[in-house]
Amino acid sequence: MLGNAVAPDLASAGGTARCSLAPLWPSAPYWKTQSEREAASVANGDLGAVLLAALMARFFSPLVWAKPLLLCLWLKGCWAVWRYETSVGHYILFTARTGIHLVYEGASFVEWEYSVLCTMDDKSSRTPELNCPVAGTHMVKPKLRGSLTFQDRERYLTINADLDCFLWYVYTSFTRSSLHSAHVTLVVWIYDPENADSKEMSHTAKGPPEHSKTLSRQFLNLGQSPSIKMLHVGEDSRESEESEYSADGYWEIDVPSISNYIIGVVIGKPVTFQGCFVARTPFTMAKSEIPPVNVHDVSISTPAGSELMITWSACHTTKAVVVTNYGAFLTHDEFRHTKKITFPSTVLDPAVAQKVNDVAIVQVHIVFLIDSSAYFINNDKMFRVGKQHKLPERGILGIKERIWCLRNYPVQVLESDLSEAILWTKTEIFLMYPSRNITDMFALVMEVDVLKSLTGFKDHVTLAVISACYDSIPSEISVLLACTGCKTSTQLYVAGFNEDEGHWFLRDLSLPAPTSDPLHMEVVFGASSSMLLWYSDKIIYSYKGSKFTGYIKDTETGAELSATALGTVIHQVVIGSAGNTVIKMKNNDMFFLKFNMKDVLKLSAWETEAKDFAIYVNGHGDFYLLINNGTHIYYKAYPLKTEVLSATNPLGEVCPYISFQHNMEADTYYLDMGTNMTFWAQIVFLENVGLSTEVTIYRSHLLKQNNSIQYEIARGICTKNQTVTLYHDHDYSTEGEYEDGIISSTGIMTIEVEPSLTGRTCMTPNKVAHINVGCPVFRDLVIEKPTNCSNQTFTFKIPAKYRWVKTQGEDWVQEYNLALFGCPIEVHYARPFRPTVLLYEREKMIGTVEANYILWEMNARNDYHYNTTVKQNYVSCFMSGGAGLLGTLDNQYELMNHSGINSIIWPQDYDGIFFFRLKIMDPNYSFCPYEAYFAVRTHGIIESLNMLKIAGWACLIVVFFWGVLAFSYYRYVKLFRALHFVDPVVSFNSEITSTVSSSEAKKYE
């Protein structure tokens, strides 16, 4: 009778069993023996509790049946929990083939009760293995001893009807040396989770065991080949499809070694072996840790009695910092390895080392808020931030980094244009720009006295900054203000700041200050401002730009969720992908909230109240419990999806729609002038539910839109297809101020596509994408020209008479710039020339430019002209200008285009080299100031003959010839006459022996 009288209700939601007398007893962990309890109580100074326990034990010793009651009286809440696990520690596969390992922690356990369609190896064991070969929802719960048993809530485990049985195992030696190389080689093989090696289960294997080698080889013979899709790597995900199989039983895949490439998915071909596929397997590439620094003497920690504090990088979720009551630890690989953070005593006063209030990771920097002062860590540099860094020495109330990575946001100029952390005091707001130099990294953006006038507050009121965070729109910041004097009681207002446009405004949200406790702000990624404001007791929601506001309620009771009513306080509010939010209490109760819903659902307890843990979300959006056992930190996967399905099963909740699909795959799109973008979304639901696709657009004025909806119904199933076309067709030729018109019509539009109604069991995430209405940064003009030419520098001369700009009669010497102009285009002098202008998107040619353009000759040559120089080809492009290398810019210029006939005519009597600059002049062609440079070299000139020269040379040759002939003749005659003549007849006549002269010899003729 005693047991029945004092323990009327032991049942508790969330898989826990608690005694109704729990508030009478102090909070204590579960101690196995009486001696342990007494030792702990003495250590805590609770001698009275020890004496009371001893007296109660002596008095009730005959009442053996009452021992569970005594245990219940001693332990606050009588915590007992049970959970389930898989062989490999995660829940990627939860199918009819998966072995489910149950774990029960607590007293009075008898056996397990489970669905008749499931089997169990030993139902009386606290750690049996459960197998449910039939897909569906199966009930499992522990059965406890007697009427005083803990009636743990049953779980309804959803077993998937999935043909994926195997997983990919990924290993890489991501050392510091490989970090600086061009690529990293991933080693990939296939393994069976139900027959995995112990090292595969613990994720420490560096090569495939024999079973996995055989399995991988079987899949190879069937044509299997993996590919790697890298996620969160900038504008586009990159996929590596080339894989090479090794004789050692694995594939090798090279991926780029870039710091951003840390999250990926292994995707195989649709190949089956024994009726099973290989599932898409997410993985994380662990980064190397920071370089070792000298061990310092000051260890930092949270104040005594504080909860576990954790933060992680928005872009590199593997990098995280956790602060406990015995130290702070840094990890770069999801807590597989950690490093304790200590400060030198010259930087941090040991007296305040245990007063860590907050911490933020901003790119490569870590900023600690210790006793209202900021301390900065960058690799091996540690220092206190102060006036020299444009921050106050003390009085900093908080710091908040971005929780959504800025990498996929198409910042129009530079990524550093947007800040990445907010710091605030009671009266000032500072922004942090991590890419800048440390002396310029922090900037004061606003003081409350100035903000008061900008946002329309009256002069007599007093404003104070309570909290701040980055809003749903990446370019906006929300600041929570407390206004004293606005009404009879202190009111809370939310001010917004747009970093793109640089203006402040007041959001449509105000409420009486509910508490003096610190308030926190958490937002969800979207196209309109949606946030949660919470303090130690309650949570306030503000959805869709404050259209819907109020206090979060408890689904089971219908009342406002109050941590105080539950005897605890709120520890964490963590938002994951798809708007899935987990609210963790200090006593380890957890609640699930779906963004855009107004009530929460309590989840089954996963750990006892004595466990110290925090919630962590990795880059894939998976939830983990980060557990602190007092000496080190480790993490375990948490099956949020399965737990939500289990908790909603008794309520009969189902997702209001059957399926929701869309074709918006990318996170960022670019729209230039005259272009459009069309996307569709399809929602399938039961008849009479009345759902639709809701499209929310931020900065909708930037683009025009057309919507069309098609509706079909068959056999009670409704299908609604919505097509949205966004386009730009503004005519800038009529703008009075062209540049002002361009600025006003460019910007970043954010679009969100979601079902009009959601539910807790809906796992399809809303799609949020950014559209950059402006110049696509990856497009460029290319002039069609040769790609191979001699890579040599040469100079050439331009006669002064062939230039508009005179150089006092001297020739102009010009050096050929191969890097700027590329290979010269060889053109025959007699052919009219018009360049072929191509538009490229990255490495792909997307078309020929049809817009009008103009050409400048860079050396101011005047020895070429146009073949159709008529008045209508001239357009004045400049309001004013002066003489220079480009000529007088207020003159009229020739327009050319691809389809026209206006072409350049070259000099006809000599070759030359011409340098041109091309500029697109069509005001409605592109937001980009497209320009291109190219060079033309004419050839084919055959110089005409100069008859005067020819005649002159001919005369000279003839005169020279006749002169030589005359000279040789007279020379011959002179020489001949000087010779003595001998008559040959006389020479044969012996009688004639006298010698005669030639004149005399003539007498004998």
Side-chain angles (χ1 to χ4, degrees):
M1 295 297 294
L2 179 60
N4 293 334
V6 298
D9 182 14
L10 300 178
S12 175
T16 67
R18 300 184 186 177
C19 181
S20 59
L21 300 180
L24 299 176
W25 297 94
S27 175
Y30 178 79
W31 306 110
K32 296 181 180 179
T33 65
Q34 174 70 14
S35 60
E36 290 180 2
R37 288 198 299 270
E38 293 178 358
S41 298
V42 172
N44 294 329
D46 193 1
L47 184 58
V50 175
L51 296 176
L52 179 61
L55 290 173
M56 291 181 65
R58 181 178 299 274
F59 179 77
F60 288 108
S61 58
L63 306 178
V64 178
W65 49 266
K67 287 185 177 180
L69 174 61
L70 298 180
L71 180 62
C72 181
L73 293 174
W74 178 256
L75 298 178
K76 179 183 178 180
C78 298
W79 279 83
V81 299
W82 71 275
R83 70 183 74 89
Y84 49 93
E85 300 171 351
T86 63
S87 300
V88 291
H90 54 66
Y91 303 86
I92 299 175
L93 296 182
F94 207 71
T95 68
R97 192 175 178 271
T98 305
I100 304 171
H101 302 274
L102 304 180
V103 178
Y104 181 85
E105 295 181 5
S108 304
F109 175 80
V110 176
E111 62 181 19
W112 294 94
E113 294 182 358
Y114 51 91
S115 170
V116 295
L117 299 177
C118 300
T119 61
M120 187 177 293
D121 56 358
D122 183 4
K123 66 178 183 180
S124 61
S125 171
R126 292 173 181 261
T127 57
E129 180 176 340
L130 176 72
N131 289 278
C132 297
V134 179
T137 302
H138 302 280
M139 186 277 297
V140 183
K141 71 174 182 179
K143 181 179 179 181
L144 305 177
R145 185 180 303 113
S147 58
L148 293 177
T149 59
F150 300 118
Q151 299 175 7
D152 288 1
R153 170 191 279 182
E154 65 275 8
R155 279 188 170 96
Y156 298 87
L157 303 184
T158 301
I159 307 300
N160 300 321
D162 203 336
L163 294 179
D164 291 334
C165 307
F166 307 118
L167 294 172
W168 295 98
Y169 190 99
V170 184
Y171 167 74
T172 179
S173 179
F174 204 76
T175 61
R176 189 175 297 112
S177 59
S178 65
L179 179 64
H180 297 287
S181 63
H183 290 81
V184 170
T185 300
L186 300 182
V187 176
V188 180
W189 67 84
I190 301 171
Y191 76 105
D192 182 359
E194 301 307 312
N195 298 282
D197 181 80
S198 59
K199 291 186 178 180
E200 288 178 325
M201 292 182 182
S202 60
H203 306 284
T204 58
K206 298 183 179 180
E210 196 61 37
H211 182 273
S212 297
K213 286 183 182 179
T214 304
L215 185 61
S216 299
R217 194 173 295 113
Q218 292 288 350
F219 270 97
L220 175 70
N221 295 335
L222 294 171
Q224 182 61 272
S225 179
S227 62
I228 303 291
K229 184 176 183 180
M230 308 305 297
L231 307 178
H232 310 308
V233 294
E235 296 171 356
D236 297 311
S237 300
R238 299 190 179 184
E239 189 164 345
S240 302
E241 298 184 353
E242 296 183 2
S243 59
E244 182 178 349
Y245 186 79
S246 169
D248 294 328
Y250 55 80
W251 287 268
E252 291 184 343
I253 306 177
D254 287 340
V255 297
S257 175
I258 303 177
S259 59
N260 292 344
Y261 299 171
I262 59 174
I263 305 294
V265 179
V266 187
I267 305 171
K269 294 181 179 179
V271 177
T272 64
F273 175 66
Q274 295 181 349
C276 288
F277 292 91
V278 185
R280 292 168 55 106
T281 307
F283 71 95
T284 300
M285 292 174 60
K287 296 175 61 180
S288 61
E289 294 193 8
I290 62 175
V293 297
N294 295 329
V295 177
H296 303 303
D297 52 350
V298 180
S299 175
I300 60 175
S301 65
T302 54
S306 300
E307 296 299 307
L308 204 63
M309 182 186 300
I310 181 173
T311 187
W312 54 88
S313 172
C315 295
H316 306 136
T317 55
T318 55
K319 181 178 181 180
V321 172
V322 59
V323 187
T324 69
N325 54 10
Y326 58 87
F329 302 89
L330 169 68
T331 180
H332 287 264
D333 54 7
E334 291 186 329
F335 298 96
R336 292 178 178 87
H337 302 90
T338 58
K339 175 183 180 231
K340 191 171 185 179
I341 299 175
T342 56
F343 280 83
S345 56
T346 55
V347 174
L348 178 64
D349 184 359
V352 299
Q354 282 67 50
K355 297 182 180 180
V356 177
N357 306 121
D358 209 344
V359 60
I361 300 177
V362 188
Q363 292 188 8
V364 298
H365 314 295
I366 303 174
V367 183
F368 281 94
L369 189 60
I370 305 176
D371 195 30
S372 74
S373 297
Y375 293 83
F376 195 88
I377 299 178
N378 180 8
N379 291 337
D380 58 342
K381 298 179 182 177
M382 296 182 173
F383 54 89
R384 181 177 177 178
V385 183
K387 293 182 179 179
Q388 67 272 29
H389 309 105
K390 302 176 183 178
L391 272 183
E393 298 281 351
R394 297 186 59 82
I396 301 176
L397 300 180
I399 179 171
K400 187 71 172 180
E401 72 275 44
R402 291 185 180 272
I403 61 172
W404 309 106
C405 185
L406 196 61
R407 186 188 298 118
N408 291 328
Y409 187 71
V411 181
Q412 291 183 307
V413 184
L414 293 172
E415 192 168 298
S416 60
D417 286 347
L418 295 184
S419 62
E420 294 205 28
I422 313 169
L423 298 91
W424 64 91
T425 66
K426 189 176 181 180
T427 59
E428 296 172 317
I429 303 168
F430 300 86
L431 298 182
M432 178 180 175
Y433 300 87
S435 59
R436 299 180 182 177
N437 186 277
I438 183 60
T439 56
D440 299 319
M441 190 174 293
F442 300 95
L444 174 64
V445 67
M446 184 54 63
E447 296 177 340
V448 292
D449 290 339
V450 180
L451 181 61
K452 183 166 52 176
S453 60
L454 290 177
T455 51
F457 285 97
K458 296 181 179 180
D459 294 337
H460 70 274
V461 304
T462 302
L463 294 181
V465 179
I466 302 299
S467 184
C469 70
Y470 289 95
D471 206 78
S472 303
I473 306 298
S475 61
E476 291 190 355
I477 294 170
S478 288
V479 179
L480 185 63
L481 301 172
C483 178
T484 304
C486 292
K487 292 184 179 180
T488 56
S489 61
T490 302
Q491 290 287 119
L492 296 181
Y493 295 90
V494 179
F497 175 63
N498 189 303
E499 289 193 77
D500 278 344
E501 301 174 0
H503 76 274
W504 287 87
F505 56 94
L506 203 60
R507 298 193 185 277
D508 189 19
L509 174 63
S510 64
L511 67 156
T515 179
S516 59
D517 292 346
L519 275 86
H520 309 274
M521 306 170 69
E522 299 290 345
V523 300
V524 69
F525 197 35
S528 60
S529 179
S530 296
M531 67 176 66
L532 297 176
L533 290 83
W534 60 279
Y535 59 101
S536 60
D537 183 30
K538 295 184 179 182
I539 302 175
I540 304 166
Y541 64 86
S542 174
Y543 298 148
K544 301 297 181 183
S546 303
K547 290 182 180 179
F548 309 99
T549 60
Y551 282 88
I552 294 292
K553 295 183 178 181
D554 190 335
T555 301
E556 295 183 358
T557 63
E560 295 177 359
L561 177 66
S562 173
T564 303
L566 298 174
T568 184
V569 295
I570 298 176
H571 175 202
Q572 275 183 296
V573 176
V574 181
I575 303 174
S577 60
N580 296 326
T581 305
V582 175
I583 302 163
K584 179 193 172 294
M585 302 294 181
K586 184 177 180 179
N587 65 354
N588 293 341
D589 280 348
M590 289 191 290
F591 295 82
F592 177 75
L593 171 68
K594 190 79 170 182
F595 244 88
N596 293 328
M597 297 187 70
K598 304 173 184 179
D599 54 357
V600 296
L601 182 65
K602 191 171 186 179
L603 301 174
S604 299
W606 197 259
E607 295 289 350
T608 64
E609 185 179 1
K611 274 289 178 62
D612 183 19
F613 72 87
I615 299 173
Y616 162 71
V617 182
N618 72 357
H620 295 284
D622 301 324
F623 281 70
Y624 288 83
L625 303 185
L626 193 66
I627 301 173
N628 170 29
N629 69 356
T631 58
H632 70 280
I633 297 167
Y634 63 97
Y635 72 98
K636 295 194 302 186
Y638 180 69
L640 179 62
K641 177 181 177 180
T642 309
E643 285 294 278
V644 171
L645 293 176
S646 174
T648 55
N649 185 273
L651 303 177
E653 288 190 15
V654 294
C655 184
Y657 55 86
I658 298 173
S659 70
F660 176 69
Q661 300 178 1
H662 55 80
N663 68 335
M664 295 182 66
E665 298 295 334
D667 295 324
T668 303
Y669 296 90
Y670 291 83
L671 278 185
D672 206 346
M673 290 183 184
T675 58
N676 62 70
M677 166 190 170
T678 299
F679 68 90
W680 57 263
Q682 181 191 77
I683 186 168
V684 181
F685 52 93
L686 294 177
E687 188 179 6
N688 299 326
V689 177
L691 299 182
S692 62
T693 299
E694 186 174 298
V695 180
T696 305
I697 299 179
Y698 172 72
R699 289 179 176 168
S700 58
H701 67 278
L702 295 178
L703 294 173
K704 297 180 180 179
Q705 54 182 296
N706 286 329
N707 289 273
S708 64
I709 298 177
Q710 295 179 340
Y711 184 80
E712 298 178 1
I713 182 170
R715 298 181 180 274
I717 303 297
C718 302
T719 302
K720 189 176 289 187
N721 298 305
Q722 182 170 350
T723 303
V724 179
T725 300
L726 303 172
Y727 62 96
H728 180 280
D729 65 351
H730 187 77
D731 185 8
Y732 293 95
S733 63
T734 60
E735 290 283 347
E737 296 293 337
Y738 178 75
E739 292 186 358
D740 293 342
I742 290 292
I743 294 174
S744 63
S745 57
T746 56
I748 299 172
M749 171 189 287
T750 302
I751 182 169
E752 182 178 7
V753 181
E754 60 183 329
S756 58
L757 182 65
T758 188
R760 274 181 279 265
T761 59
C762 301
M763 295 300 167
T764 304
N766 301 346
K767 178 60 183 180
V768 179
H770 304 292
I771 303 175
N772 187 349
V773 183
C775 175
V777 294
F778 46 80
R779 287 187 181 179
D780 199 7
L781 288 187
V782 175
I783 306 298
E784 190 175 56
K785 53 188 172 183
T787 56
N788 296 322
C789 56
S790 58
N791 189 14
Q792 60 182 358
T793 302
F794 61 91
T795 58
F796 60 95
K797 292 184 179 181
I798 303 175
K801 62 181 180 179
Y802 296 147
R803 300 185 69 240
W804 291 105
V805 181
K806 304 305 179 183
T807 54
Q808 298 179 355
E810 298 180 0
D811 292 343
W812 178 261
V813 179
Q814 180 65 49
E815 182 178 355
Y816 190 88
N817 189 340
L818 185 64
L820 179 62
F821 296 100
C823 296
I825 303 173
E826 301 289 342
V827 179
H828 192 274
Y829 79 98
R831 294 180 180 177
F833 172 76
R834 185 170 62 249
T836 300
V837 187
L838 305 175
L839 185 62
Y840 270 73
E841 186 172 300
R842 295 186 175 92
E843 302 298 327
K844 181 181 178 182
M845 195 261 295
I846 60 175
T848 302
V849 175
E850 303 288 344
N852 292 335
Y853 58 84
I854 59 175
L855 296 176
W856 284 287
E857 208 292 318
M858 303 293 290
N859 290 313
R861 297 188 66 145
N862 59 9
D863 52 347
Y864 69 95
H865 61 279
Y866 295 86
N867 62 350
T868 54
T869 301
V870 292
K871 185 174 182 180
Q872 54 266 32
N873 283 338
Y874 283 117
V875 176
S876 180
C877 304
F878 302 94
M879 297 303 295
S880 63
L885 291 180
L886 300 182
T888 304
L889 299 183
D890 59 358
N891 289 342
Q892 294 175 324
Y893 289 82
E894 292 272 0
L895 287 180
M896 303 178 69
N897 56 55
H898 178 71
S899 59
I901 60 174
N902 195 19
S903 304
I904 294 177
I905 302 299
W906 307 109
Q908 301 295 300
D909 50 357
Y910 56 89
D911 295 331
I913 297 179
F914 300 81
F915 291 166
F916 287 102
R917 173 189 173 193
L918 181 148
K919 183 175 178 64
I920 300 294
M921 295 306 297
D922 188 340
N924 294 319
Y925 178 71
S926 174
F927 290 110
C928 300
Y930 283 134
E931 291 184 344
Y933 296 84
F934 65 97
V936 176
R937 178 160 52 194
T938 60
H939 64 85
I941 294 291
I942 300 176
E943 294 188 3
S944 59
L945 300 179
N946 191 325
M947 299 306 297
L948 292 178
K949 290 183 179 180
I950 294 175
W953 280 104
C955 291
L956 181 62
I957 292 173
V958 170
V959 170
F960 178 76
F961 174 78
W962 286 107
V964 171
L965 185 63
F967 175 77
S968 61
Y969 172 76
Y970 287 110
R971 180 66 177 168
Y972 170 77
V973 171
K974 183 178 180 180
L975 292 175
F976 182 79
R977 288 179 177 176
L979 295 174
H980 294 286
F981 178 75
V982 177
D983 190 348
V985 178
V986 177
S987 63
F988 285 100
N989 190 350
S990 59
E991 295 180 359
I992 303 175
T993 57
S994 61
T995 304
V996 297
S997 65
S998 59
S999 59
E1000 292 178 347
K1002 292 181 178 179
K1003 297 177 179 180
Y1004 298 97
E1005 295 181 355

